[in-house]
Amino acid sequence: MYLARLIYTSHPSDNFKPEDVENILTASRRNNLAKSVSGLLYFNQNYFLQCLEGSRSSINQIYHKILNDDRHGTPLILEYKEIVERDFPRWEMGYLPETADTRLLYRRFSGADEFIPYHMSGESCHRLMIEMRKLVKAV
Ligand SMILES: Cc1cc2nc3c(=O)[nH]c(=O)nc-3n(C[C@H](O)[C@H](O)[C@H](O)COP(=O)(O)O)c2cc1C
C-alpha cells in the first residue's frame, strides 16, 4: 500500500454555491476516513487547491469522485508523488479559507502577489500548503 500525495487545483463552477463548502467537507471527511485518506483543502473563492494523501489506490478513487463533481471544473494535477510520510495525518480533510495571513504567503511561493495555482509549480503548492497547515483552526 504505497503512500502517495496528489495536489490539484480547480475553479468553482456556476453550480457552486458558498454553502456547498460545508457539504463538500462533510462528504470528504466521511469518505476519506473510510479510505484512510487525509489532506487539506484551500479555497479562496476563485480557486480550490487540495492535497490528498493516502494509498495510491485510495487517492485514485477519491480523485475520480472529485473529478465527476460538477461544482467545479478545469481540474489540473499539480503534483503526484510517492511519499514516505503524510503532512496532514490528523485531518480527514482540513479546510482553510482565504485570510489576510494566507494572502501574505502568495508572494513567497509564486511569481505574483495574486494566487493563481495554475501558474505555480507542484513543489511550490506543496510548500505553500505546509505553511497553511499552521493557519488551520481545529477541524
Ligand atoms: C473541491 C472539491 C473537493 C472535494 N474533496 C473531496 C474529498 O476529499 N473526498 C471526497 O470523498 N469527496 C470530495 N469532494 C466531494 C465529491 O466530489 C463528491 O461529491 C462526494 O465524494 C460524494 O460522496 P458520496 O459518494 O458519499 O455521496 C470534493 C468536491 C469538491 C468540489
Side-chain angles (χ1 to χ4, degrees), residues 9 11 25 32-33 59 62 72 82 122:
T9 188
H11 286 288
L25 290 175
N32 297 357
L33 177 65
I59 288 183
I62 295 284
H72 66 161
E82 284 180 3

Side-chain angles (χ1 to χ4, degrees), residues 8 10 24 27-28 30-32 41 48 50 52 62 65-66 69 71-72 93:
Y8 77 91
S10 64
I24 288 170
S28 298
R30 184 186 61 238
N31 294 334
N32 297 357
L41 176 66
F48 292 106
Q50 188 173 27
L52 297 165
I62 295 284
K65 251 181 196 276
I66 293 173
D69 196 317
R71 292 173 289 189
H72 66 161
M93 191 44 62

Side-chain angles (χ1 to χ4, degrees), residues 8-41:
Y8 77 91
T9 188
S10 64
H11 286 288
S13 70
D14 293 342
N15 295 322
F16 176 81
K17 300 180 288 314
E19 57 269 29
D20 285 332
V21 169
E22 214 46 57
N23 305 331
I24 288 170
L25 290 175
T26 303
S28 298
R29 289 169 183 158
R30 184 186 61 238
N31 294 334
N32 297 357
L33 177 65
K35 294 199 175 300
S36 282
V37 167
S38 48
L40 177 63
L41 176 66

Side-chain angles (χ1 to χ4, degrees), residues 43-104:
F43 179 50
N44 85 331
Q45 308 307 317
N46 295 319
Y47 303 101
F48 292 106
L49 177 67
Q50 188 173 27
C51 175
L52 297 165
E53 50 190 20
S55 79
R56 60 186 174 197
S57 61
S58 297
I59 288 183
N60 202 34
Q61 287 165 30
I62 295 284
Y63 186 59
H64 276 92
K65 251 181 196 276
I66 293 173
L67 285 181
N68 286 327
D69 196 317
D70 67 6
R71 292 173 289 189
H72 66 161
T74 335
L76 181 68
I77 292 180
L78 301 171
E79 184 187 74
Y80 175 82
K81 207 172 172 185
E82 284 180 3
I83 54 172
V84 293
E85 186 181 354
R86 296 177 193 239
D87 295 314
F88 312 102
R90 288 185 299 116
W91 299 334
E92 276 73 54
M93 191 44 62
Y95 176 68
L96 186 65
E98 187 176 62
T99 64
D101 287 333
T102 65
R103 274 194 288 271
L104 288 175

